[in-house]
Amino acid sequence: MTGWRLSPRVKAADGPRLKLVEDYKMNPHEKTLQRQSGLDLYGTVVPSRMLLGTAGYPSPAILGAAVRSSGAAVVTVSLRRETAGGGSGQRFFDLVQDLGVNVLPNTAGCRSAREAITTAEMAREVFNTDWIKLEVIGNDDTLQPDVFGLVEAAGVLCREGFKVFPYTTEDLSVAERLQRAGCKVIMPWGAPIGTGQGISNRRALESLRAYFPGVSLIVDAGIGAPSHAAEAMELGFDAVLLNTAVAKAGDPVRMAQAFSEAISAGRLGFEAGLMPPRDMAVPSTPVAGTPFFDLE
C-alpha cells in the first residue's frame, strides 16, 4: 500500500481526517496485516507471523503473487534445489530479491550433521545471510528429524555465528539441548512434512510453549488448513511456517491470504485471552432473581 503524503497546502489539522480516509481505503486484508504485532527473530523484527516456503508452486508468477498475498516477510529457500537449477536458479533468486523479503535458506535433504553444516556454510556465501533453517532428516518415510545430528550441527553452527532455526520434533528434551546449543528460535513440527494433518500432539506443543516462554517458537510442517494455523497461534506459538498447503492449493494466492488472516486471528485470540474449557455447562445468562414456575 502506498503511503500518504500531505500537500503543502493541507493544514496539519486535516491530518486525522486524511488518516480516516487512508484507513477507509485499506482493504480488510491490509487491515488484518496492520493489526499483527511484530515477530522477533534474533533481534530482527518482521511484521508478519507467517513464514512461507517457496517449493512446488505451479509457476514463478504464482509463487510471487502468493508471497505478496500472504504478507509474509520471510521465505525459505533450498540451496540445493536452486543451485542445481542452473539458469532457472538465477531467475528464482531474482524473483525473491524483487519481492523484498527476508531469505531463510534451509538445509533440506541433508541426512548428517556434517552435510548440514557444509550446506549452511555454502548458503551463507550464496545468500549473504547468517540465518539458516537447519534440517537433518533421520527417516525417509516420515521425514522425521535426526535429533542427534540436529543438536550436533546446531552447536557447531551457533559457534560459527549462525542464527539457527532448527526444524525439530515436539520433544521437550531436544528443545532444551537446542537452546543450550545457542538456538533462540525453535521450530517443532505440527505433523510430518507434507501430510496436512494439522496439530497431531497438542499437549506436547502446549508443554513446549509453557516451558520456553522467552523463546520464539514456530510451528513448522504438517499444517494443512488455515484452521490448523489458527490453532497453533491460539496455543501461543509465535509464528507458523508452511509451504505445501499453499503451493498445492487449488488457488495458491487466495490460500496464502486465507492462512495469513487465520494466523492473525489466532494470535489476536491468544493475546485477548481465550476462555478456559469446562467440563460442565455454564449459563451465559444469569439466572439469579429470575422467576421459576412449577409446570406440573
Side-chain angles (χ1 to χ4, degrees), residues 146-228:
D146 172 2
V147 295
F148 304 102
L150 181 70
V151 172
E152 178 187 348
V156 172
L157 292 173
C158 286
R159 289 193 294 273
E160 291 184 1
F162 281 89
K163 296 178 173 63
V164 179
F165 297 65
Y167 162 63
T168 183
T169 66
E170 70 275 27
D171 190 287
L172 183 61
S173 62
V174 175
E176 285 185 298
R177 285 168 172 77
L178 289 169
Q179 187 187 37
R180 288 201 295 267
C183 298
K184 296 181 180 179
V185 175
I186 298 175
M187 305 178 71
W189 65 359
I193 293 174
T195 61
Q197 295 175 359
I199 305 299
S200 61
N201 194 343
R202 180 185 175 97
R203 297 303 181 194
L205 291 180
E206 287 176 334
S207 296
L208 274 180
R209 179 70 284 175
Y211 200 83
F212 297 102
V215 176
S216 292
L217 298 179
I218 301 173
V219 172
D220 176 19
I223 300 298
S227 58
H228 300 158

Side-chain angles (χ1 to χ4, degrees), residues 50-296:
M50 177 175 173
L51 289 72
L52 193 60
T54 56
Y57 290 81
S59 71
I62 292 177
L63 165 61
V67 172
R68 294 186 183 94
S69 177
S70 73
V74 178
V75 299
T76 62
V77 176
S78 169
L79 174 68
R80 287 185 163 197
R81 186 185 78 238
E82 302 312 331
T83 54
S88 63
Q90 183 58 53
R91 289 193 294 273
F92 176 83
F93 296 150
D94 293 341
L95 169 63
V96 172
Q97 188 173 22
D98 290 343
L99 290 171
V101 294
N102 297 279
V103 173
L104 176 59
N106 65 40
T107 62
C110 293
R111 284 170 168 74
S112 70
R114 175 43 55 191
E115 189 179 10
I117 292 167
T118 301
T119 302
E121 292 169 342
M122 293 172 59
R124 180 161 59 181
E125 297 300 319
V126 171
F127 294 103
N128 193 30
T129 179
D130 53 8
W131 284 12
I132 191 71
K133 181 174 181 274
L134 182 61
E135 300 181 24
V136 182
I137 300 302
N139 184 278
D140 289 337
D141 292 324
T142 65
L143 299 180
Q144 181 167 336
D146 172 2
V147 295
F148 304 102
L150 181 70
V151 172
E152 178 187 348
V156 172
L157 292 173
C158 286
R159 289 193 294 273
E160 291 184 1
F162 281 89
K163 296 178 173 63
V164 179
F165 297 65
Y167 162 63
T168 183
T169 66
E170 70 275 27
D171 190 287
L172 183 61
S173 62
V174 175
E176 285 185 298
R177 285 168 172 77
L178 289 169
Q179 187 187 37
R180 288 201 295 267
C183 298
K184 296 181 180 179
V185 175
I186 298 175
M187 305 178 71
W189 65 359
I193 293 174
T195 61
Q197 295 175 359
I199 305 299
S200 61
N201 194 343
R202 180 185 175 97
R203 297 303 181 194
L205 291 180
E206 287 176 334
S207 296
L208 274 180
R209 179 70 284 175
Y211 200 83
F212 297 102
V215 176
S216 292
L217 298 179
I218 301 173
V219 172
D220 176 19
I223 300 298
S227 58
H228 300 158
E231 181 182 5
M233 300 304 292
E234 288 171 359
L235 292 177
F237 279 75
D238 297 284
V240 172
L241 191 157
L242 50 97
N243 187 161
T244 308
V246 172
K248 300 305 182 184
D251 185 338
V253 178
R254 294 180 67 191
M255 186 61 74
Q257 179 178 338
F259 268 104
S260 177
E261 294 184 3
I263 288 168
S264 180
R267 180 65 184 186
L268 190 60
F270 169 74
E271 292 178 346
L274 299 169
M275 67 167 286
R278 300 184 176 104
D279 293 328
M280 300 294 291
V282 177
S284 57
T285 302
V287 297
T290 59
F292 289 88
F293 300 96
D294 186 354
L295 300 180
E296 294 183 359

